[in-house]
Amino acid sequence: MSKHTLSVMVENEPGVLSRVAGLFSGRGFNIYSLNVAPTLEKGVSLMTIVAEGDDAIVEQIVKQLRKLVPTIKVKDLTELKSVEREMVLLKVNAEDSKRAEILRIVDIFRCKVVDVSVDELTIEVTGDQGKIGALVNLLTRFGIKEIARTGNVAMRRSMQIDL
């Protein structure tokens, strides 16, 4: 089982999301993360779907996605060079005695503090799964009160010359 990142361009119309999700659930294939947003083209949205599963099943799902009427384009970015990012908001306990240490970690990871209260900090972090996982591991000992994640967004890298 491996993770697959699919980039699916669709017409922005009612029911598209449920039809796409239905392809996955109908085959017992779980969606790990799903992000949908409009593109520069009016009436078109881009779905970034991360799912974990068997390569053969993913291949079948890609074929089925291409057959859906509102689907414009499907790319499996798993084997391509791509950029993947996720944005996460973390609410962390931040007592006075621990606040400076938390702020050093925030600085090292190039995060932003987006909200402050007497005993909490809300931190915004953007990065790949490794960066986010490392930050969460470091902040766990302070007490993470709440976490909200966007899910991955991904884009194929521009053509590069291999050296």
Side-chain angles (χ1 to χ4, degrees):
M1 296 265 222
S2 59
K3 276 191 183 168
H4 292 265
T5 302
L6 304 177
S7 178
V8 184
M9 193 173 292
V10 296
E11 293 175 17
N12 192 354
E13 59 184 51
V16 173
L17 181 58
S18 65
R19 291 171 70 191
V20 169
L23 284 175
F24 285 83
S25 65
R27 286 161 181 75
F29 199 63
N30 190 40
I31 294 174
Y32 180 76
S33 78
L34 173 65
N35 189 302
V36 185
T39 64
L40 293 173
E41 190 175 336
K42 186 176 178 167
V44 176
S45 290
L46 181 65
M47 294 182 169
T48 303
I49 303 167
V50 179
E52 197 170 44
D54 182 78
D55 292 347
I57 294 172
V58 173
E59 187 177 325
Q60 289 301 311
I61 288 172
V62 168
K63 288 178 183 177
Q64 293 296 318
L65 283 170
R66 288 185 175 132
K67 289 180 185 180
L68 280 180
V69 173
T71 301
I72 298 166
K73 187 191 293 186
V74 180
K75 286 187 219 167
D76 186 347
L77 299 176
T78 309
E79 299 300 322
L80 302 174
K81 290 183 180 180
S82 61
V83 177
E84 292 188 28
R85 294 291 182 266
E86 180 176 10
M87 196 272 292
V88 177
L89 295 173
L90 296 156
K91 190 177 289 183
V92 181
N93 287 325
E95 303 161 4
D96 286 338
S97 62
K98 304 292 183 183
R99 194 169 291 242
E101 188 177 357
I102 294 169
L103 291 173
R104 277 196 298 278
I105 293 169
V106 165
D107 186 49
I108 290 167
F109 279 83
R110 293 187 221 138
C111 305
K112 281 193 245 180
V113 175
V114 294
D115 190 39
V116 178
S117 74
V118 175
D119 61 350
E120 296 174 345
L121 293 174
T122 301
I123 300 162
E124 174 189 318
V125 58
T126 303
D128 61 22
Q129 297 291 319
K131 177 181 178 178
I132 290 168
L135 180 66
V136 168
N137 284 340
L138 283 172
L139 294 177
T140 298
R141 66 188 170 106
F142 299 104
I144 296 174
K145 289 185 167 186
E146 196 174 338
I147 188 166
R149 301 178 79 141
T150 62
N152 277 15
V153 291
M155 185 180 287
R156 188 174 73 66
R157 287 192 179 270
S158 300
M159 295 301 291
Q160 298 179 26
I161 300 171
D162 292 328
L163 301 176

